[in-house]
Amino acid sequence: MLFESTRQTSPAATVEEAIAAGLAPDGGLYVPQELPVLDIGRFDGVQTLPDVATRLLAPFFDGSTLAPALGAICSEAFDFPVPVVPFDDSTDVLELFHGPTAAFKDVGARFLAACMSRLPRADGRELTVLVATSGDTGAAVAAAFHGRPGLRVVILYPDGRVSARQAHQLGCFGGNVHALRVAGRFDDCQRMAKAALGDSWLNSQVPLTSANSISLGRLLPQMTYYAQASLAHWRATGTRINLVIPTGNLGNALAALWARAMGLPIGDVRLACNANRTLPDFFAGGAYRPREAVATLANAMDVGAPSNFERLMSLSHGRVEEARLAGFAEAVDDTEIADVIGRHAARYLFCPHTATAMKIRERMAQAGDRRRWTIVATAHPAKFDTVVEPLAARVVPVPDALAAMLERPSHAEPMAAEDAALREWLLQPSMASTASVLRTRPILGKMDSTAN
Ligand SMILES: *Cc1c(COP(=O)(O)O)cnc(C)c1O
């Protein structure tokens, strides 16, 4: 199978090339030339996530040097549970947060790392994985690539706009992982990363690749939990699973739309956004108008220019009306997020992102929708303790892997929100002086931190 750029002016690429490159040379995003359509029978008797994943992803890797290793890659990457937990009579929660950094980004990051560490690098030079993060991506990528030979990770995050625990996680790895705290917003970080990745001279000096949600190596694996959940739902009920998905850059939701287009038994898909209205306005009939992100309680979704929008348009053959039919996006504001977290705290602790999906589910129920819905839980609430604990009026238990990270020291370097600053940093022969490094103490159990 070959992959083409959403902008259609780059040559078609193999899966290895698309995964290694991140962004296509013309600045577009890689999409399969044609999505394979699979017969559900192909999954008969297949139940575990690694096994479902191997069957689902085989056509994308057909003919590639990674094909023989696909089973091993899937077993290595998908080594934690992704359970569907009943919430009430007509609502289930698909919990994607049982990986090492307690957010769904672990799934894509671990698969990407498992692929990249198996890709041959012709010149033997170190490859730098550049990642702009609104919080969770950076930690997942850092955890997945930490200690892998020949690879280093450079994380850009908006200083003061991620939770204290997120900031701590980003800086706690050390070794081949470098955290840069940018004096700007997530969109600045994303722009800086894109500029560096698109700079061919810079790439000739410092080989770069992306691990953002624009990376094909993250999108493909995100289809797998939708495949597994939809097949289990189909076997149990004979009906298609309906999904409400918290959405920022449209990566997680696009994976569900791709899985549905491949023939998996997925019914309606609704996108839950926070107060950033770019997608809700588009789905309500407005023009697609990227804008500056506003800060919300669901900070990993503070995106004003969703990077995977180009892939949604490509899936919809460039037709706006068709794209609007793929799902429907609604905005949920901070007051509603807080209300959902507080109101359900005795029964279930929602992270602020998952709370947006729960709110949409509630709105549909109020509007008389009697169908069963599965809301997608994208992070563990313990990652957002400073938001969740006061609203829930109780302590959120911290998963073991997260607790271990919070016990390590953490550091990040400051950076101006300018493309040139990142370029310069990447070109410097040695790492920045320790004088400019912000150090923070372990924060486990504390409600605030100097990391913010
Ligand atoms: C990244 C993230 C999202 C948004 O995912 P997209 O793929 O950007 O739409 C939602 N919730 C959490 C917790 C996240 O980390």
Side-chain angles (χ1 to χ4, degrees), residues 20 102 204 236 252 301 316 326 349 357 370 393 416:
S204 72
N252 196 10
M301 291 155 49
S316 316
L349 284 171
R370 294 278 161 267

Side-chain angles (χ1 to χ4, degrees), residues 51 167 288 296 398:
D51 290 349
Y288 176 70
T296 75
V398 180

Side-chain angles (χ1 to χ4, degrees), residues 103-105 136 213 246-252 300-301 351 353 378-379 384:
F104 84 91
K105 306 284 198 321
D136 293 327
S213 62
T247 303
N249 264 316
L250 208 44
N252 196 10
M301 291 155 49
C351 92
H353 312 84
T378 50
F384 303 93

Side-chain angles (χ1 to χ4, degrees), residues 125 195-208 423-424 426-427:
R125 284 197 293 169
L197 289 160
D199 181 335
S200 49
W201 183 80
L202 180 62
N203 277 264
S204 72
Q205 302 300 305
V206 185
L208 295 173
R423 192 169 191 270
E424 226 169 87
L426 289 167
L427 285 168

Side-chain angles (χ1 to χ4, degrees), residues 34-345:
E34 210 173 325
L35 273 174
V37 177
L38 305 181
D39 190 289
I40 296 184
R42 186 187 180 102
F43 296 96
D44 280 350
V46 180
Q47 287 181 7
T48 68
L49 190 59
D51 290 349
V52 170
T54 307
R55 300 270 169 114
L56 179 77
L57 299 179
F60 297 96
F61 286 79
D62 196 23
S64 105
T65 58
L66 291 174
L70 185 60
I73 290 171
C74 290
S75 309
E76 181 185 319
F78 311 130
D79 65 346
F80 52 86
V82 182
V84 175
V85 175
F87 176 82
D88 63 23
D89 290 350
S90 60
T91 311
D92 300 307
V93 185
L94 173 60
E95 293 185 346
L96 304 181
F97 53 69
H98 296 284
T101 69
F104 84 91
K105 306 284 198 321
D106 283 323
V107 174
R110 290 178 62 74
F111 184 83
L112 182 67
C115 288
M116 275 196 187
S117 65
R118 287 172 171 84
L119 288 177
R121 276 186 299 283
D123 56 8
R125 284 197 293 169
E126 182 182 63
L127 184 64
T128 298
V129 181
L130 202 53
V131 49
T133 183
S134 52
D136 293 327
T137 292
V141 170
F145 284 82
H146 186 224
R148 289 194 186 256
L151 295 162
R152 79 168 173 166
V153 176
V154 176
I155 301 164
L156 301 157
Y157 72 90
D159 198 6
R161 290 171 195 267
V162 305
S163 82
R165 281 185 177 173
Q166 283 178 317
H168 192 92
Q169 258 190 329
L170 294 172
C172 81
F173 290 92
N176 64 334
V177 177
H178 306 273
L180 305 176
R181 50 186 181 95
V182 173
R185 295 162 192 266
F186 170 68
D187 288 341
D188 293 312
C189 299
Q190 188 155 263
R191 187 206 66 235
M192 290 161 71
K194 273 195 176 183
L197 289 160
D199 181 335
S200 49
W201 183 80
L202 180 62
N203 277 264
S204 72
Q205 302 300 305
V206 185
L208 295 173
T209 188
S210 136
N212 276 97
S213 62
I214 53 175
S215 169
L216 186 72
R218 282 185 45 192
L219 267 177
L220 294 177
Q222 286 171 6
M223 291 193 288
T224 63
Y225 42 76
Y226 294 121
Q228 188 194 30
S230 68
L231 289 164
H233 189 91
W234 180 259
R235 286 168 188 150
T237 67
T239 60
R240 293 168 176 270
I241 196 170
N242 301 311
L243 299 164
V244 191
I245 307 176
T247 303
N249 264 316
L250 208 44
N252 196 10
L254 191 92
L257 299 179
W258 276 7
R260 184 173 66 184
M262 287 178 70
L264 284 147
I266 296 170
D268 265 5
V269 175
R270 298 289 163 96
L271 314 183
C273 297
N274 59 24
N276 288 281
R277 301 199 55 102
T278 305
L279 290 170
D281 287 355
F282 170 77
F283 280 96
Y288 176 70
R289 192 169 60 79
R291 56 200 85 166
E292 285 226 329
V294 299
T296 75
L297 292 177
N299 66 22
M301 291 155 49
D302 290 349
V303 177
S307 53
N308 281 297
F309 187 78
E310 284 188 38
R311 282 195 172 109
L312 173 67
M313 291 312 297
S314 156
L315 177 66
S316 316
H317 311 99
R319 291 194 279 268
V320 167
E321 285 313 320
E322 199 175 323
R324 289 200 182 108
L325 289 178
F328 192 76
E330 279 185 54
V332 173
D333 67 27
D334 276 358
T335 320
E336 294 169 308
I337 291 173
D339 168 64
V340 166
I341 295 171
R343 195 155 35 82
H344 296 297

